[in-house]
Amino acid sequence: QVQLVESGGGLVQAGGSLRLSCRASGSIFSINTMSWYRQALGKQRELVAHTYSGPNTLYADAVKGRCTISRDNAKNTVYLQMNSLKPEDTAVYYCAARVVVHAGAYEDSYWGQGIQVTVSS
C-alpha cells in the first residue's frame, strides 16, 4: 500500500557530501514522522536522524553537526544531507515513515529497501 524509495547513495571520498532522498507513495492519508536509519556490516541498525510532522528534528550523536534532515510534505519526501563524511558512515541507509493510510486508521511503520553509502578513506 505504501512504498518508500530511497535514492542518492553511492561512493564518496572522506570529507565529501551526499544527499539522500526518500519518496513515499501509495495509499497515504498523512505521514507523521520520517526517519533515516543505517546499518553497517556486522552491526545493528541505528537511528541517524528523525523528523516529526512539525519542525522538530532529532539526530544521533555520531552525525550531529554533519547531517541535516528535511521534509517536503507536498512531495511526501524526506532528505538527508550528509557533509564531512567519514569512512565510519559507510552503511546501508534506510528510510522509515509512520503513515496513516486513511482517515481514522492507526499509523503504521513502513521501510524503504535501503541504499548503500560508501565512504572511502
Side-chain angles (χ1 to χ4, degrees), residues 13-32:
Q13 288 189 332
S17 298
L18 280 176
R19 189 193 194 208
L20 304 182
S21 300
C22 172
R23 183 174 181 273
S25 63
S27 177
I28 297 172
F29 177 75
S30 65
I31 301 177
N32 292 334

Side-chain angles (χ1 to χ4, degrees), residues 31-32 34 51-54 71-79:
I31 301 177
N32 292 334
M34 300 189 84
T51 178
Y52 300 88
S53 56
R71 283 174 68 165
D72 184 334
N73 291 324
K75 296 181 179 179
N76 290 334
T77 300
V78 63
Y79 305 96

Side-chain angles (χ1 to χ4, degrees), residues 6-12 18-21 82 93 115-118:
E6 301 102 336
S7 61
L11 174 65
V12 64
L18 280 176
R19 189 193 194 208
L20 304 182
S21 300
M82 302 188 293
Y93 283 71
I115 191 164
Q116 179 71 44
V117 171
T118 303

Side-chain angles (χ1 to χ4, degrees), residues 1-117:
Q1 284 184 320
V2 176
Q3 299 81 40
L4 301 180
V5 179
E6 301 102 336
S7 61
L11 174 65
V12 64
Q13 288 189 332
S17 298
L18 280 176
R19 189 193 194 208
L20 304 182
S21 300
C22 172
R23 183 174 181 273
S25 63
S27 177
I28 297 172
F29 177 75
S30 65
I31 301 177
N32 292 334
T33 64
M34 300 189 84
S35 309
W36 287 98
Y37 288 77
R38 67 185 181 186
Q39 188 168 17
L41 197 61
K43 295 187 177 181
Q44 289 188 331
R45 192 172 297 188
E46 62 179 3
L47 177 69
V48 177
H50 181 86
T51 178
Y52 300 88
S53 56
N56 293 334
T57 56
L58 176 72
Y59 295 94
D61 288 343
V63 304
K64 277 181 183 176
R66 300 189 298 118
C67 292
T68 302
I69 188 170
S70 60
R71 283 174 68 165
D72 184 334
N73 291 324
K75 296 181 179 179
N76 290 334
T77 300
V78 63
Y79 305 96
L80 184 67
Q81 178 67 43
M82 302 188 293
N83 301 323
S84 302
L85 283 162
K86 305 175 182 180
E88 49 264 44
D89 293 317
T90 296
V92 177
Y93 283 71
Y94 296 89
C95 171
R98 294 194 64 82
V99 178
V100 177
V101 297
H102 62 78
Y106 290 105
E107 65 177 20
D108 207 349
S109 293
Y110 295 88
W111 291 82
Q113 79 286 354
I115 191 164
Q116 179 71 44
V117 171

